Amino acid sequence: TQGARESTCMLAVIAMLAGKTLSKVKDDAHKLTGVPWSARMSHDAYWKTVDKLRKRYNVTGVPTEYEWTSQIKLVVSGMLPAGRKARRLPRGRGSITVFEPGRGAHRVAYEDGTVYDPGPRDTGAYTFSVWLKKNTTYEIANICPEKRRKR
């Protein structure tokens, strides 16, 4: 789980999808970039670290910087309706990026319809519908399923 000021939800999602612990992913993030993970990271350092971790662990179920920025701009501008219209998740695993007005962004992992929320408020595993009911202020900006890996 993450504390309110830690901003480790992306790392927790990467850890879940890669089958690693959060502490292992945090350590690797520091080793790969020379910068310790922090809520005060610059936008560029954040996405550079995420990109290196995605490649290191061959993780595909998290948004790229381009996907994230494009979706958030549409949500904030009102061009993309609040994404509470999703009724079910794609099969398999991936991540959900949500935007909460006044608080910012948050990411959670999912697998086969169960949402795993590493956040400070409601840490735990929930069905998608229960998770949506518990988090009525969230607007879904992006659902990013894992891509099938080539064998």
Side-chain angles (χ1 to χ4, degrees):
T1 66
Q2 68 178 14
R5 305 295 267 150
E6 289 183 66
S7 255
T8 56
C9 56
M10 176 64 94
L11 293 185
V13 168
I14 291 171
M16 183 266 181
L17 294 173
K20 306 291 180 192
T21 65
L22 178 56
S23 62
K24 169 74 172 142
V25 173
K26 280 176 92 170
D27 288 346
D28 283 351
H30 190 185
K31 288 176 190 169
L32 288 168
T33 63
V35 178
W37 188 267
S38 164
R40 294 181 297 276
M41 291 179 100
S42 71
H43 177 86
D44 289 341
Y46 176 94
W47 285 105
K48 182 184 280 186
T49 304
V50 168
D51 188 51
K52 287 184 181 218
L53 289 169
R54 287 168 50 105
K55 289 175 183 167
R56 164 82 170 85
Y57 296 127
N58 194 26
V59 170
T60 62
V62 293
T64 63
E65 178 184 11
Y66 176 78
E67 290 168 332
W68 159 247
T69 348
S70 301
Q71 289 293 312
I72 260 321
K73 283 179 182 174
L74 291 174
V75 169
V76 171
S77 70
M79 293 178 68
L80 186 70
R84 305 212 41 92
K85 298 182 187 324
R87 297 284 179 239
R88 71 181 128 204
L89 293 170
R91 289 183 188 191
R93 304 180 331 158
S95 66
I96 304 168
T97 302
V98 295
F99 179 75
E100 187 173 20
R103 293 188 64 138
H106 179 52
R107 288 169 188 84
V108 299
Y110 73 85
E111 182 172 24
D112 297 327
T114 299
V115 174
Y116 299 93
D117 193 338
R121 287 191 293 180
D122 288 316
T123 300
Y126 305 96
T127 64
F128 185 54
S129 61
V130 168
W131 181 77
L132 284 174
K133 288 176 189 169
K134 291 178 74 56
N135 296 288
T136 58
T137 58
Y138 285 168
E139 296 175 7
I140 296 173
N142 179 285
I143 296 175
C144 187
E146 271 188 323
K147 293 173 181 70
R148 293 201 172 175
R149 294 186 178 149
K150 295 177 184 173
R151 299 202 184 241

